[in-house]
Amino acid sequence: MTTLDAYGPDCDPRDLRRLGVMALDLAGACLAQHIDAYGDLPAETRRQALLARVNIFIDHNLGDPELNPADIAAHHHMSVRSLHTLFRQQEETVAASIRRRRLERCHADLTDPRLRRRSIGAIAARWGFLRPPEFSRAFRARYGVPPRELRQTALGGVSDAERAAPRDK
């Protein structure tokens, strides 16, 4: 909940509604836990609170190329099967959610003028993509254009001086 102000401006109205529901579920679960009434919460509220905690964990660890369902499940003291069951009512699987979020972060960074000197490979690695060809294929499949083309379109092309300048790591 402490990062809502940072991510909120980048969210569409549907995401904001979903975040609002998740924030209420988390607040209710937190309060119930403090007064020893967590077990009295409706099962759906407990499920939503757990899903919110899992999603926050995923968002905070997107840059870890080793992030996977087994690690997420272990961190939340649950089985991988339970994690997949938790995501069954979502639009995508755990792995698909991780991949989509990473690609969204890459897209945002590639179109951010402040990061125009950072290499595409560095941006991809920042969000957990260590193999450039894999990143390029996934990015093209999601957005219909290669990362370089998106960046050139969004930022009005990259000059020769910028290409020759040392890049941030």
Side-chain angles (χ1 to χ4, degrees):
M1 287 176 44
T2 59
T3 61
L4 285 177
D5 61 334
Y7 292 112
D10 297 329
C11 295
D12 63 37
R14 191 184 104 203
D15 289 335
L16 287 173
R17 280 191 299 279
R18 188 171 57 92
L19 284 172
V21 169
M22 288 175 17
L24 284 174
D25 284 339
L26 274 175
C30 182
L31 180 60
Q33 199 164 19
H34 283 300
I35 62 171
D36 291 328
Y38 189 77
D40 296 337
L41 289 173
E44 182 58 21
T45 299
R46 290 192 312 266
R47 189 187 82 72
Q48 287 296 329
L50 177 58
L51 182 61
R53 286 194 308 270
V54 167
N55 280 318
I56 290 166
F57 178 81
I58 290 170
D59 283 339
H60 284 198
N61 291 282
L62 280 176
D64 178 0
E66 300 297 319
L67 182 66
N68 61 56
D71 291 338
I72 296 166
H75 181 82
H76 291 88
H77 311 289
M78 63 193 318
S79 69
V80 175
R81 182 174 188 238
S82 294
L83 179 65
H84 287 299
T85 299
L86 183 65
F87 269 74
R88 191 171 292 142
Q89 294 177 4
Q90 303 304 302
E91 295 175 7
E92 57 196 2
T93 65
V94 180
S97 177
I98 293 168
R99 185 178 203 83
R100 175 188 50 79
R101 293 174 197 200
R102 285 178 170 163
L103 289 168
E104 287 172 352
R105 298 308 192 293
C106 289
H107 186 283
D109 284 1
L110 288 168
T111 58
D112 186 339
R114 296 170 299 175
L115 301 176
R116 76 179 320 137
R117 289 183 175 256
R118 186 165 294 171
S119 73
I120 293 171
I123 288 172
R126 174 183 183 198
W127 296 112
F129 289 102
L130 299 183
R131 293 182 206 89
E134 177 186 323
F135 166 67
S136 188
R137 280 190 301 275
F139 193 91
R140 181 187 284 257
R142 173 107 177 133
Y143 296 106
V145 295
R148 183 173 313 280
E149 186 176 323
L150 173 85
R151 178 177 247 185
Q152 288 173 341
T153 301
L155 301 179
V158 178
S159 71
D160 290 336
E162 289 172 323
R163 256 193 296 283
R167 297 179 183 192
D168 295 341
K169 302 234 176 191

